[in-house]
Amino acid sequence: MINGWKVFLTLPRFLRTLTKSKSMAKKVKRDPNLVTEEYRYHWLQKRCRYFLWLFDIKLIVHNRDNWIDKGCLMVANHQSNIDPGILFSLNDFSKTAPCAFIAKLELQNDKTFKRFLTLIDVLFLDRKNPRQALEVMQEANELIRIPRTMVIFPEGTRSHSEEMGEFQAGSFKIAQKAHVPIIPVSIVNSYRVLNKKAKKRGRKYVHIVFHKPIKPDTFMTKPTDLIANNVKQIIQKGLDQFANVDDKKAYHEYKKELKKKS
């Protein structure tokens, strides 16, 4: 759960974040050129990191170098509302293509989320409308070529648990049509972040595992359900690998590695 003391101590910043996001969203809707894309992306990333701090989330990132420096399809499991923000906070714009997302249509009408999602590239998918889904896939292909890291959560909704739901195979057509690599990502333990019981655990540790990119030549002619199953198995391996580790120890080791690299 959110840390009330952190909100209290940074209340002016918290309120400015809400008001400025609303103001910028209005400008972008009126004319996207009124606020530069670079500014919007960097501003939102800083706010994502701020919200992760408010929730006491400690990220432990594995194999980050697997995030390649060109357009790709990033496929992750979906445990919590915080998952897109986690991936966005890790996006190094100087080394990797900026993230774009495919989100469910309902978020387009959510007053809280909408003001933030308007600032970056987000495509809203109506799962009940096959024609609109085709249009979204075409837009996704165009964004990847800019380039963008197109992020999808093929379960279609949050699992709220360690268990993954079924993958929607159709979303993998994006990688086939754009002829780009697929990067599977395992998000471990993020479902605990918004869980009231997690508050008793103290700090919250979330593992992010970037798996090796799957080259397009290896899946171009394969059925999408076979691709989906293969990617799901890879993501499951990451979930299994870090399900029962000493999170606190892993976090300190990760921070040491970051210091060495810097």
Side-chain angles (χ1 to χ4, degrees):
M1 297 297 290
I2 197 166
N3 188 312
W5 278 108
K6 287 185 175 182
V7 174
F8 178 75
L9 291 172
T10 61
L11 186 60
R13 183 181 180 184
F14 183 82
L15 295 175
R16 281 199 306 271
T17 293
L18 296 179
T19 54
K20 188 167 183 176
S21 62
K22 186 176 181 180
S23 173
M24 274 201 293
K26 286 183 178 179
K27 288 182 180 179
V28 171
K29 280 186 176 181
R30 191 163 66 248
D31 181 358
N33 295 319
L34 290 175
V35 185
T36 67
E37 185 177 75
E38 182 180 7
Y39 179 84
R40 285 185 269 127
Y41 264 80
H42 282 284
W43 184 88
L44 185 58
Q45 185 176 67
K46 289 178 181 178
R47 272 62 198 176
C48 283
R49 291 171 178 169
Y50 169 62
F51 279 110
L52 292 176
W53 176 77
L54 286 181
F55 280 92
D56 285 330
I57 298 171
K58 308 297 180 185
L59 300 182
I60 308 168
V61 186
H62 306 272
N63 306 320
R64 188 170 179 167
D65 290 343
N66 284 329
W67 191 335
I68 56 179
D69 60 347
K70 58 182 179 180
C72 60
L73 183 70
M74 183 171 285
V75 182
N77 61 307
H78 198 10
Q79 295 185 346
S80 165
N81 275 335
I82 208 77
D83 296 340
I86 288 175
L87 293 177
F88 195 74
S89 73
L90 296 173
N91 196 177
D92 185 343
F93 304 131
S94 67
K95 296 180 180 179
T96 58
C99 286
F101 296 88
I102 293 181
K104 59 185 180 180
L105 186 64
E106 291 83 352
L107 288 178
Q108 195 172 26
N109 299 317
D110 187 292
K111 291 183 179 180
T112 302
F113 283 103
K114 184 172 65 173
R115 64 177 64 176
F116 294 103
L117 299 181
T118 302
L119 303 179
I120 60 173
D121 292 310
V122 179
L123 304 177
F124 295 98
L125 177 65
D126 183 355
R127 288 170 287 186
K128 299 177 181 178
N129 188 335
R131 179 176 294 181
Q132 191 264 355
L134 291 174
E135 292 174 358
V136 167
M137 285 191 182
Q138 181 57 41
E139 290 180 66
N141 290 337
E142 293 170 2
L143 283 174
I144 287 174
R145 289 185 172 89
I146 287 177
R148 288 287 185 267
T149 298
M150 180 57 61
V151 181
I152 63 169
F153 300 96
E155 291 166 272
T157 188
R158 295 151 293 160
S159 63
H160 297 295
S161 70
E162 299 170 348
E163 302 296 326
M164 279 190 287
E166 289 299 315
F167 276 20
Q168 298 174 14
S171 56
F172 289 87
K173 290 180 181 178
I174 295 171
Q176 288 182 320
K177 289 186 176 181
H179 201 272
V180 293
I182 296 172
I183 303 179
V185 178
S186 303
I187 301 178
V188 189
N189 293 337
S190 71
Y191 72 95
R192 293 178 179 174
V193 172
L194 304 180
N195 188 327
K196 291 181 180 179
K197 294 180 180 178
K199 190 174 182 180
K200 299 177 181 178
R201 303 171 191 263
R203 290 179 176 176
K204 306 169 186 72
Y205 301 94
V206 178
H207 295 264
I208 310 297
V209 188
F210 293 95
H211 299 278
K212 290 182 179 180
I214 305 172
K215 296 179 180 180
D217 291 341
T218 64
F219 61 76
M220 287 301 295
T221 60
K222 291 182 179 179
T224 52
D225 57 344
L226 191 63
I227 302 170
N229 186 57
N230 180 37
V231 173
K232 187 177 182 180
Q233 287 180 9
I234 294 171
I235 293 174
Q236 186 62 56
K237 287 180 181 179
L239 296 177
D240 294 339
Q241 183 178 359
F242 296 102
N244 299 304
V245 300
D246 185 332
D247 293 327
K248 190 173 183 179
K249 181 179 179 182
Y251 179 71
H252 287 304
E253 289 176 353
Y254 170 62
K255 298 298 284 187
K256 284 182 181 179
E257 285 297 317
L258 289 180
K259 286 183 179 179
K260 286 181 182 178
K261 290 180 180 179
S262 62

